[in-house]
Amino acid sequence: MTAKVIGLMELTDQKAFELYRSKVGQTVELYKGRIQNRGSVTEIFWNELNCSRFNAFVELTFPSQEDAKAWVHSPEYQALVAIRNDAMKLTLFAVAI
C-alpha cells in the first residue's frame, strides 16, 4: 500500500528553509520516496480542528508505511532536524492510500 507523508509548514526563516529544501530531497530518495507536490497555501476554507497557522505544504510518496517510517527516523533525515527547526514549524503525518 502506498504511503503519503504530508507536511504542513509555517515558514519562519527563509534562508534556513532554502538550506533545508536543498538537502531534504536526497534523504527522501534514499528511502525510496519522492517529493510529489509542494507549494504555498493560498486559502483555508475551513479550520474546524483549529490547526496552527501554516502557509506551505509538501506531499511525499513512499512505497509503504515502513519506508516512510524508516525515512522519518533515519540518521540522514534526523541530521536535518536542527535546520528544519530554524526554518519552520511543522506538522508531519502519514496517510495510507
Side-chain angles (χ1 to χ4, degrees), residues 41-57:
V41 175
T42 59
E43 189 168 347
I44 297 174
F45 295 111
W46 291 277
N47 187 8
E48 295 173 353
L49 294 174
N50 296 318
C51 295
S52 294
R53 197 173 94 156
F54 56 94
N55 59 11
F57 79 97

Side-chain angles (χ1 to χ4, degrees), residues 9-18 53-56 82-90:
M9 300 169 275
E10 176 67 24
L11 304 182
T12 55
D13 182 325
Q14 190 63 38
K15 186 175 179 181
F17 176 67
E18 292 302 327
R53 197 173 94 156
F54 56 94
N55 59 11
I83 299 168
R84 185 197 74 200
N85 289 344
D86 288 341
M88 70 187 77
K89 293 180 182 177
L90 174 69

Side-chain angles (χ1 to χ4, degrees), residues 23-62:
K23 297 176 180 277
V24 72
Q26 298 163 357
T27 70
V28 171
E29 290 173 5
L30 283 173
Y31 291 85
K32 302 182 253 177
R34 67 186 181 108
I35 297 172
Q36 188 78 30
N37 293 294
R38 61 176 144 203
S40 299
V41 175
T42 59
E43 189 168 347
I44 297 174
F45 295 111
W46 291 277
N47 187 8
E48 295 173 353
L49 294 174
N50 296 318
C51 295
S52 294
R53 197 173 94 156
F54 56 94
N55 59 11
F57 79 97
V58 66
E59 174 189 2
L60 311 176
T61 302
F62 291 88

